[in-house]
Amino acid sequence: MTGHRATRLLAAGAVVLSVLAGCSGGGHGSPSGTSGPSASLSPAQVVQLALKDVERYWTATYPTISGGKPFQPIQGGYHPYTQSSPPPACGGEEGVYQPNAFYCPDGDFIAWDAEQLIPQLQSKFGRLLVVLVFAHEYGHAVQYRLGMTDQPTVVLEQQADCYAGAWLGDAKAGHSGSFTGITPAQIDSALAGLLQLRDQPGTSKANEGAHGNAFDRIRALQDGVENGATKCAGYNEGNLPITEVPFTEERDAESGGNLPYDQAVDTLVKDAEAYWAKAYPQLTGRQWKPLTVRPFDSGSAPACPDPDTIADGAAFYCPTGDFIAYDDQRLQALYEAFGDNAVGLVIGDLYARAVQHRRGQSTQGSAGQLAVDCLNGSWTNDLLHRDPRTETTKLSPGDLDEAVAALLAFGRGTSGSGASGFDRIAAYRNGVLNGLSACK
Ligand SMILES: [Zn+2]
């Protein structure tokens, strides 16, 4: 978040997944088939199964988006590389080791860092993320086959994410022989990994290499899961909501767009209060009564007979006392782990809970949690749509990703509501993109 405005772009930072322009290639590596998702697959085995299964998916699906033309699998081969054995040249550019995975259109090949990137992604986030990385790269091959590459990079990246999601939707539906029984927990873990593959915060969406922030990328992936490859194929600059924004001033870029903790909490609470004073009457036809906010030290929460808690009791709304409370040390830890808008996500969740209780609606179970997430997102929608010339509080690059990261951190295992992180992000995004009216 920031309290100012102005004029400087941060140079594009490291982008982990990239598509290079131009290349040359060799033979078609055929993945030898271990079958079934045994727990002990090596990263190399997962990659082989992934490429084979994504190829299966496109063989079946490509004709539906190509006007009936058959799919031609990758012709230039699959090239794992290491620091001592760098990737093949691509489009006249010498192959240089990077912790990366890429599709090379010139040679029609896919290459990846088999030494660090892929093993790390698998051990930290599970094999599903590895498959999604390859489904994404294969998505770029599909774009070239369709002749649909004349779009800004950020659109092409979201489309490749959408295609990866289309593969995931197909696998979830039971069509993959290799990746079966995919669980919500595996998907949430893969989404957490995607957060690490985002652009550096502050990359302008007009930047040559912009891949999009994680918020937009997860949206595209979910779009593919829910609506399939035909929806992805229709992506263009005019029909995608792209929320990525550059840093608007030097000071903001230097701080990473983060306010100091105390100032962040103070600013966010005031802003949430002002938002609901305006929004609650629209929702209910009734006036909003200011909400009491009580920070507490770990272990000494204010008494409440019926707390509606989040994050294992680190914060709660108290219906009987009609106040919200949060563990100051734990909120600060969250701030340090994810950034200032992770605090915004918690404050927004607590206010949304208060809204639900005050208007006699549930916050419990999956539906209640998703309603809270949508209302929380509606506040973010309001923040995104303010006039930057007159407003002092506004979102910085990375704020939406911070919110999604915090949401996934809570959504996994701790909420007990039955709503997956995947569903919670979708509900939050619905509020962010469509505003309060989407949450009624
Ligand atoms: Zn890409």
Side-chain angles (χ1 to χ4, degrees):
M1 332 242 16
T2 176
H4 293 72
R5 58 179 224 94
T7 53
R8 174 182 177 258
L9 301 189
L10 195 71
V15 172
V16 177
L17 292 180
S18 73
V19 56
L20 302 182
C23 308
S24 69
H28 179 200
S30 146
S32 71
T34 3
S35 68
S38 109
S40 59
L41 291 176
S42 70
Q45 288 172 314
V46 171
V47 170
Q48 285 196 332
L49 289 174
L51 288 166
K52 197 171 162 189
D53 198 66
V54 173
E55 204 172 290
R56 168 203 63 78
Y57 170 71
W58 281 114
T59 302
T61 308
Y62 186 80
T64 67
I65 61 170
S66 68
K69 287 193 201 118
F71 184 65
Q72 184 188 49
I74 291 276
Q75 298 297 294
Y78 301 131
H79 300 280
Y81 61 81
T82 61
Q83 296 190 65
S84 59
S85 166
C90 178
E93 273 188 55
E94 197 189 337
V96 176
Y97 174 85
Q98 285 185 325
N100 221 342
F102 65 90
Y103 168 68
C104 175
D106 221 35
D108 194 31
F109 69 79
I110 292 174
W112 63 94
D113 173 12
E115 185 174 349
Q116 292 185 37
L117 177 71
I118 298 300
Q120 283 169 8
L121 292 182
Q122 181 169 330
S123 71
K124 268 181 92 174
F125 300 105
R127 75 176 64 127
L128 184 60
L129 179 61
V130 172
V131 190
L132 290 175
V133 165
F134 284 92
H136 172 99
E137 298 307 335
Y138 226 111
H140 287 309
V142 168
Q143 289 166 343
Y144 276 86
R145 280 155 173 71
L146 290 170
M148 293 175 72
T149 54
D150 189 21
Q151 309 235 41
T153 304
V154 68
V155 174
L156 293 175
E157 289 310 319
Q158 288 202 35
Q159 189 175 58
D161 289 328
C162 185
Y163 283 145
W167 169 83
L168 176 56
D170 184 75
K172 276 178 75 187
H175 299 145
S176 166
S178 302
F179 300 96
T180 55
I182 296 169
T183 64
Q186 287 169 342
I187 293 173
D188 287 355
S189 183
L191 293 184
L194 279 185
L195 287 168
Q196 313 239 321
L197 299 175
R198 65 185 183 176
D199 283 352
Q200 294 293 101
T203 305
S204 162
K205 69 182 177 188
N207 186 290
E208 192 62 20
H211 280 58
N213 59 18
F215 181 86
D216 290 340
R217 298 193 65 179
I218 289 175
R219 184 204 61 75
L221 184 94
Q222 293 189 318
D223 200 17
V225 171
E226 281 154 21
N227 301 305
T230 306
K231 178 77 184 296
C232 312
Y235 275 19
N236 62 55
E237 200 174 5
N239 64 15
L240 282 187
I242 293 170
T243 57
E244 189 156 36
V245 286
F247 284 115
T248 50
E249 66 179 44
E250 197 158 348
R251 217 184 58 151
D252 205 20
E254 281 162 5
S255 70
N258 277 324
L259 293 175
Y261 172 71
D262 289 341
Q263 201 186 336
V265 173
D266 191 50
T267 302
L268 287 160
V269 165
K270 280 191 183 123
D271 202 274
E273 188 63 41
Y275 171 67
W276 284 111
K278 179 178 69 176
Y280 190 76
Q282 291 170 25
L283 197 64
T284 63
R286 296 195 300 273
Q287 287 288 103
W288 174 257
K289 199 163 110 287
L291 190 56
T292 302
V293 181
R294 296 190 186 170
F296 61 87
D297 291 330
S298 292
S300 45
C304 176
D306 53 352
D308 183 1
T309 65
I310 63 172
D312 287 337
F316 61 89
Y317 170 71
C318 183
T320 297
D322 192 27
F323 64 86
I324 61 175
Y326 61 85
D327 180 325
D328 203 32
Q329 286 84 39
R330 287 186 63 188
L331 194 63
Q332 185 152 8
L334 193 71
Y335 165 91
E336 274 148 22
F338 296 112
D340 61 4
N341 205 39
V343 173
L345 187 93
V346 173
I347 301 290
D349 184 294
L350 293 173
Y351 267 87
R353 264 167 223 284
V355 166
Q356 287 294 82
H357 281 275
R358 285 178 173 189
R359 70 175 180 145
Q361 302 271 332
S362 176
T363 61
Q364 299 304 300
S366 178
Q369 180 60 60
L370 298 181
V372 166
D373 291 325
C374 186
L375 291 170
N376 191 355
S378 80
W379 171 39
T380 305
N381 172 276
D382 191 72
L383 275 162
L384 280 171
H385 290 96
R386 292 184 197 165
D387 185 345
R389 289 162 304 184
T390 54
E391 276 297 329
T392 52
T393 311
K394 64 189 176 80
L395 293 181
S396 293
D399 277 346
L400 288 172
D401 290 356
E402 290 165 13
V404 168
L407 202 150
L408 266 181
F410 299 153
R412 286 201 279 162
T414 57
S415 79
S417 68
S420 67
F422 185 90
D423 290 338
R424 293 195 57 190
I425 291 171
Y428 173 72
R429 182 179 58 243
N430 187 27
V432 171
L433 295 178
N434 303 311
L436 189 63
S437 62
C439 314
K440 281 175 175 167

